[in-house]
Each structure stands twice: as C-alpha cells, then as structure tokens.
Amino acid sequence: MTEAVRVAVVFHDGHGHTRRQAEAVHAGAGSVMGVRSTLVPVEDIHAHWDQLDTVDAIIFGAPTHMGSASAPFKAFMDASEQAVLARGAWKDKVAAGFTNAAARSGDKLNTLQQLAIFAAQLGMHWVNLGLPPGHDSSTSTENSMNRHGYFLGAAAQCDADAGVDNGTTPADLKTSAYLGARVARVALQLSAGRAELAKTTMTA
C-alpha cells in the first residue's frame, strides 16, 4: 500500500480568525485522496519539529499585524534557523501560505511575501494560489473565491468587531480550502514523480 502524502498547516492564531482559516486550509488538503493533513499551532512547535521533518508539504499561516506576520509566528521563523535551516531539513518540500487582517488590504501582501521568502530560505518549493481575481467587475460579487485578488497565497479579511464564527466570510474560507487542496495535489504529483525517478535510477 502506498504511503499517504502528508501536509502540515503551521499557523499562529491571534483572535480565532486565523485558526478558522487554518482549519479551512487543513480541510482542503485532507479532502484530496491519498493525503493526510495535520494542524500545528506555533505555540506547540517544539513538540513537532521531528514530525515536520517527515511531511511532504508545509502551509504557513499567520495574521498580518502591523504590516507583517505576527510576533509569535516570527519567533517560529527565527527558531527554524537552528531547528531546520542548519540541517537543510525542509529542502525540496512543498510550501504555501495564507494570512488575514481586518483591513481589506492591510499590507497582507507583505506577509505573504515574507512567508514565501522564508520558504525560499529553507529551500522549499512555493505554490501560489492559482486563482484569478474573484471580485473585479460590476458583475462579480463578494461571494467569489479570491475576492481580494491575491495571487501569492490565500488572503482573508475579518471585521475587527466580528466574532470568530462570523468574522471570516464563506468566500475566504472556500479560497483557503482551495489553497490547501492545490498544495496537496502538487505534493502528490511531486511524490509520484520522485517515485518514478527512483525506479528509473534503480534500473539504470
């Protein structure tokens, strides 16, 4: 039996909205046949370094605070210098990212770029969102996937005065689930390709 491809969603949650987004990404990844997904809060990261060494893909998520990823997520990034970078442990894994903020823009692009550069420093392969802008004409609506028109990753907007249950829109959660499924499929394809290359090397 072929071993399942594994995806980890590593995230920091500030007020509950990022957790909802992370859960959507997690559900999307796990919906792909042959893929197992797990959620890893950065607060628990020290219990998961070994597990993360064995996964095929890691999707990073953080709220955007003051124009960049939140401080606890940045602490995880800094800790990875010794825990991961020094060993080259995540080189050639698949990576992607998501973020949210109360403002429509809120400098979320800066956070996604920060996550993409972080993944590049670790030698990972970044997967973009792969969706066209959703709400960019008079005939489109706020219910469209990728309603904010981000390309590098999934970006959500949550009203600052909204509760967790209604703070993140269904469209943004659907977009986040799409990202999780897209990463899972890429990880499956890469895993299958590596398996075929291994067969070719063995018979050469």
Side-chain angles (χ1 to χ4, degrees):
M1 183 176 178
T2 304
E3 186 177 355
V5 165
R6 288 161 295 177
V7 176
V9 181
V10 178
F11 70 100
H12 170 244
D13 175 53
H15 303 289
H17 300 122
T18 310
R19 172 170 281 279
R20 285 206 70 197
Q21 193 179 10
E23 289 169 348
V25 173
H26 165 63
S31 72
V32 176
M33 186 177 297
V35 175
R36 291 204 317 259
S37 180
T38 185
L39 285 168
V40 179
V42 293
E43 294 85 349
D44 302 331
I45 196 64
H46 293 293
H48 291 277
W49 289 121
D50 290 344
Q51 177 190 9
L52 292 174
D53 282 354
T54 67
V55 302
D56 300 278
I58 304 176
I59 307 174
F60 303 111
T64 296
H65 287 171
M66 301 304 292
S68 69
S70 56
F73 193 89
K74 185 58 169 63
F76 149 69
M77 293 170 65
D78 291 347
S80 73
E81 182 177 3
Q82 293 301 318
V84 180
L85 181 62
R87 301 181 294 113
W90 295 356
K91 182 178 173 60
D92 293 332
K93 292 184 187 296
V94 176
F98 60 94
T99 188
N100 66 70
R104 176 62 65 114
S105 174
D107 292 321
K108 290 190 283 277
L109 177 58
N110 189 56
T111 298
L112 291 174
Q113 290 172 327
Q114 186 179 23
L115 299 180
I117 291 171
F118 170 59
Q121 289 174 328
L122 299 178
M124 304 174 78
H125 301 302
W126 187 263
V127 176
N128 58 51
L129 180 58
L131 284 173
H135 187 18
D136 63 347
S137 72
S138 61
T139 59
S140 59
T141 73
E142 285 287 273
N143 297 320
S144 305
M145 284 206 301
N146 195 22
R147 64 190 178 111
H148 308 295
Y150 283 82
F151 299 97
L152 197 58
Q157 182 266 329
C158 307
D159 291 341
D161 57 352
V164 173
D165 291 338
N166 58 5
T168 308
T169 69
D172 288 348
L173 293 176
K174 189 175 180 182
T175 301
S176 300
Y178 180 92
L179 175 68
R182 176 171 166 82
V183 171
R185 288 192 296 270
V186 171
L188 272 174
Q189 293 163 355
L190 190 57
S191 178
R194 285 170 174 161
E196 287 301 313
L197 282 174
K199 291 177 185 177
T200 302
T201 301
M202 290 175 61
T203 58

